[in-house]
Amino acid sequence: MKKTMLVAVGIAVILMVLSPVAVLAGPPSPPDYGRYNPTDLPGQPPEEWGVEKAIPSPSAPEGAVRIITDLLAGEGDGWVTFWCQSRLGFQYNIGVTGLDGLSRYSINASGGQILIVPEDTPGAVELEPGLWVDFSTLTPVELYLGTFKTDANGRGGVNGVTKLSSGYVYEVAVVVSDSDGVPVLGPADSPPPFTGPDTNGFIVY
């Protein structure tokens, strides 16, 4: 989601982090986290933006951890469910449907990271209430997220955690590619009022 708006960047690989991933078993579907805002936290983004869960966390930015689902589109359909605020890095559950059956696919994400700074930092920009960043620190990021084989019905996916440095806002676009390296799924269109691809923005704190 574009809760944390990084400018689009054309990037070369400067960071490659490989973490253990698990291949999803059985027909994939986005995780069900139950009631969206069970403690009625104020000021949360609307559920229509793909927010699955808002969890109180005094140490997290804005006092909450949000779990988000963004959609993938292309030759099939898919989703990326991820933690919008994390102490670890990119925590994700990615699933696809409608691809070729019994075929191997890889998942990568590319984008950028930008340093979170104090409000009084010269040139600081407020991305959202209380979250200040320095755009001069924008750095490209490339992540490998896993490989999976679809079932006979063209369904599959992975989940895992890619560890990333804390103190940054990240914005990445997840792409699923076939065994020849040809992209078959990428970010779907953003929900209103946003425009453009629905990339994944998150904070590692």
Side-chain angles (χ1 to χ4, degrees):
M1 294 297 298
K2 298 197 175 181
K3 318 287 184 307
T4 52
M5 297 285 195
L6 288 183
V7 295
V9 290
I11 69 169
V13 175
I14 68 154
L15 176 64
M16 177 67 79
V17 182
L18 174 61
S19 65
V21 295
V23 177
L24 300 180
S29 61
D32 182 359
Y33 291 97
R35 186 180 164 201
Y36 147 63
N37 188 2
T39 61
D40 295 320
L41 286 168
Q44 299 308 303
E47 193 171 2
E48 291 75 18
W49 288 4
V51 182
E52 301 284 349
K53 198 79 170 180
I55 305 167
S57 178
S59 63
E62 298 185 20
V65 169
R66 302 182 193 109
I67 301 173
I68 308 289
T69 292
D70 293 336
L71 299 180
L72 299 172
E75 295 184 12
D77 296 295
W79 73 88
V80 182
T81 298
F82 64 100
W83 276 247
C84 197
Q85 294 82 12
S86 172
R87 287 190 175 277
L88 300 176
F90 191 31
Q91 298 178 245
Y92 57 89
N93 179 302
I94 300 170
V96 304
T97 62
L99 297 182
D100 291 339
L102 304 177
S103 299
R104 193 162 297 279
Y105 293 88
S106 62
I107 306 179
N108 295 274
S110 61
Q113 66 180 33
I114 187 168
L115 185 66
I116 299 171
V117 297
E119 177 181 353
D120 58 358
T121 301
V125 175
E126 190 174 27
L127 282 185
E128 53 186 60
L131 180 63
W132 296 79
V133 298
D134 179 359
F135 274 97
S136 70
T137 67
L138 182 62
T139 306
V141 173
E142 181 82 13
L143 308 174
Y144 168 73
L145 304 179
T147 300
F148 66 94
K149 185 176 181 180
T150 53
D151 65 14
N153 296 308
R155 302 174 296 192
V158 298
N159 56 43
V161 178
T162 297
K163 294 183 180 179
L164 295 169
S165 298
S166 61
Y168 290 87
V169 173
Y170 294 83
E171 183 87 16
V172 299
V174 169
V175 174
V176 179
S177 300
D178 65 18
S179 58
D180 294 321
V182 177
V184 295
L185 287 172
D189 291 336
S190 296
F194 306 108
T195 58
D198 196 7
T199 52
N200 315 127
F202 58 98
I203 301 166
V204 181
Y205 64 97

